[in-house]
Amino acid sequence: MTEPKFETLAIHAGAQPDPATGARATPIYQTTSFVFDDVDHAASLFGLQQFGNIYTRIMNPTQAVLEERVAALEGGTAALAVASGHAAQLLVFQALMQPGDEFVASRKLYGGSINQFGHAFKSFDWRVKWADPFDPASFEAQITEKTKAIFIESIANPGGVVLDIAAIAEVARRHKLPLIVDNTMATPYLCKPLDHGADIVVHSLTKFMGGHGNSMGGVIVDGGKFDWSADDRYPMLSQPRPEYNGIVLHETFGNFGFAIACRVLGLRDLGPAISPFNAFMILTGIETLPLRMQRHCDNARQVAEHLRGHEKVSWVSYAGLPEDPGHAMMQKYCPKGAGAVFTFGLKGGFDAGVTFVEALELFSHLANIGDTRSLVIHPASTTHRQLSDEQKTAAGAGPDVVRLSIGIEDASDIIADLDQALAKV
Ligand SMILES: Cc1ncc(COP(=O)(O)O)c(C=O)c1O
């Protein structure tokens, strides 16, 4: 057979008919634990001499299919599925950082990530330094001898801007740092960061990958190319692990050592496992990812085109519009479409934003993106409320900003709902 294409991988990668029952859909292995063959078998599983299921916090057959599928779609060597996108970020940094270490992150990120990095991570003494997403040199300017990684979103939430991944990857490469890309908004259907020089990809699977707004999940994809043993900066990977009889994870597991470290140290000890049921739901969602994403993008472009001509709208920021400053970047990194999430400005500012979201009928007013349904939020009064005014504006969440996540309903119904709500503003 020829090399399977993306659409084929989305349905088949990692899955086979169930060896025990012949079930064609991947079964939900709803069990906490797995029986050992004998004592030697148990010992070799615990000692990492043999791969196998022990306990669902660490590994489970339903999760394993999801992991193999996402790794195949992103072009990575291995993946680790976890309970949420935030859990994925936590485990990635836990594998890289020691107390007092720093990382450089794009200023345009999902508000929850800004909080996680700027506040929660402080209790581990992991320090974030912010950089201008449009200026790769500003990432370089923030690097010190304590820096352990660079973090960006491929398409930033909520602004919908596409970052110059290759240019930022070049900065990371020059300083021997891994580039971590949150690919939630693009999904591998639109953009594969590993092809542009990223080293690790993370996702909130809760969004477009699962796609139906019904299950939480996250994933870490190991790009397999970063040399964790080049120096002593990443001891979790390059130094003997006392909990595993002195194994050096990078040496033993080579190009999937990072995914193993996140599983056998981070997930094992911190515990944010994905449930088998949620892994099954997300796996089912991924089967239709290419169809859904294309429809999301096509609908979003039509809506953005409509809004940019509307008298109540002061600006539309959607990289899919030819006049948008981000259009060239979108054509380079996401040629099939600019995604489904974008922002626009309402004349009338904060109050107009509140009136507008409350008047919408088809749209659901909630804090999520990447559902089949069209979603709306006014970030300044909700997701980004905790940020200072300066951080809000820097994150693209000023008082007049409305964020849309365009669903896969009929585009004319979506536009009609926006029009009736705009008429009330
Ligand atoms: C771009 C992005 N990254 C990460 C997250 C966090 O994911 P989760 O809510 O699954 O923890 C979100 C959530 O909205 C997101 O939009």
Side-chain angles (χ1 to χ4, degrees):
M1 196 178 147
T2 54
E3 193 64 26
K5 312 286 182 304
F6 190 91
E7 283 71 6
T8 308
L9 291 172
I11 294 168
H12 292 283
Q16 288 159 7
D18 181 47
T21 63
R24 190 63 191 87
T26 298
I28 306 171
Y29 284 93
Q30 191 67 27
T31 180
T32 54
S33 31
F34 300 84
V35 177
F36 306 122
D37 298 344
D38 51 35
V39 170
D40 287 345
H41 177 226
S44 70
L45 291 175
F46 279 108
L48 297 183
Q49 279 100 22
Q50 193 182 337
F51 274 120
N53 299 301
I54 300 176
Y55 189 57
T56 285
R57 167 151 44 75
I58 306 166
M59 189 162 155
N60 170 287
T62 313
Q63 295 159 13
V65 177
L66 174 61
E67 287 159 354
E68 223 179 293
R69 187 156 310 168
V70 178
L73 293 176
E74 287 286 5
T77 51
L80 175 66
V82 292
S84 67
H86 265 17
Q89 292 170 188
L90 170 66
L91 294 197
V92 163
F93 283 104
Q94 202 253 347
L96 302 178
M97 308 280 283
Q98 305 294 314
D101 281 348
E102 299 171 358
F103 64 102
V104 184
S106 160
R107 225 177 249 124
K108 267 199 202 298
L109 295 180
Y110 161 59
S113 298
I114 293 178
N115 281 330
Q116 186 189 47
F117 295 172
H119 298 291
F121 280 9
K122 267 194 194 151
S123 56
F124 306 125
D125 200 12
W126 302 340
R127 303 167 189 181
V128 62
K129 292 180 134 191
W130 302 109
D132 176 354
F134 301 112
D135 179 12
S138 80
F139 286 83
E140 192 147 33
Q142 297 283 30
I143 293 171
T144 71
E145 64 200 13
K146 290 187 177 163
T147 308
K148 292 295 175 71
I150 298 181
F151 184 98
I152 61 172
E153 290 177 359
S154 49
I155 303 182
N157 177 10
V161 295
V162 182
L163 270 71
D164 192 347
I165 301 169
I168 299 168
E170 180 51 30
V171 172
R173 202 194 53 76
R174 267 206 299 281
H175 293 268
K176 297 198 176 132
L177 295 169
L179 174 64
I180 307 158
V181 179
D182 179 344
N183 202 29
T184 300
M185 294 259 287
T187 81
Y189 175 73
L190 296 179
C191 175
K192 290 194 195 182
L194 298 176
D195 290 350
H196 301 290
D199 299 293
I200 298 163
V201 169
V202 292
H203 279 273
S204 168
L205 296 174
T206 318
K207 318 297 177 195
F208 296 98
M209 295 288 269
H212 294 72
N214 56 22
S215 308
M216 300 292 298
V219 74
I220 299 163
V221 183
D222 187 343
K225 296 208 181 92
F226 192 82
D227 184 2
W228 303 106
S229 310
D231 49 42
D232 58 4
R233 284 196 282 183
Y234 302 100
M236 204 132 136
L237 284 124
S238 65
Q239 303 299 314
R241 294 308 310 179
E243 12 356 19
Y244 290 110
N245 297 322
I247 280 181
V248 175
L249 293 176
H250 186 213
E251 189 181 282
T252 305
F253 297 104
N255 68 359
F256 57 102
F258 184 78
I260 293 283
C262 292
R263 183 191 301 282
V264 303
L265 299 173
L267 184 59
R268 186 195 68 164
D269 295 346
L270 299 178
I274 187 170
S275 75
F277 182 77
N278 282 3
F280 168 83
M281 294 298 280
I282 293 167
L283 200 50
T284 305
I286 289 176
E287 293 186 2
T288 56
L289 175 71
L291 294 171
R292 287 185 292 101
M293 274 322 274
Q294 195 57 60
R295 169 86 173 201
H296 277 295
C297 290
D298 295 347
N299 277 358
R301 191 181 32 75
Q302 287 182 60
V303 172
E305 279 167 2
H306 179 77
L307 287 176
R308 79 175 155 186
H310 200 285
E311 54 171 1
K312 304 265 176 82
V313 172
S314 45
W315 53 266
V316 176
S317 169
Y318 183 57
L321 295 174
E323 71 274 21
D324 190 89
H327 193 62
M329 217 49 95
M330 174 231 149
Q331 285 179 310
K332 178 169 178 195
Y333 292 107
C334 307
K336 287 187 244 170
V341 180
F342 68 93
T343 51
F344 70 95
L346 270 177
K347 291 178 187 165
F350 190 93
D351 294 341
V354 171
T355 308
F356 174 74
V357 293
E358 290 184 348
L360 285 163
E361 291 166 7
L362 180 65
F363 276 77
S364 305
H365 178 206
L366 50 73
N368 195 22
I369 54 169
D371 196 324
T372 50
R373 300 154 193 85
S374 289
L375 315 174
V376 64
I377 203 155
H378 182 223
S381 58
T382 51
T383 48
H384 288 60
R385 196 181 196 115
Q386 316 86 310
L387 306 183
S388 67
D389 284 351
E390 195 190 23
Q391 282 177 314
K392 277 192 191 113
T393 306
D400 62 330
V401 176
V402 175
R403 182 188 75 187
L404 302 179
S405 174
I406 301 299
I408 56 176
E409 302 99 335
D410 188 281
S412 66
D413 291 331
I414 299 171
I415 289 170
D417 191 36
L418 292 168
D419 278 351
Q420 68 78 22
L422 283 168
K424 298 192 174 116
V425 169

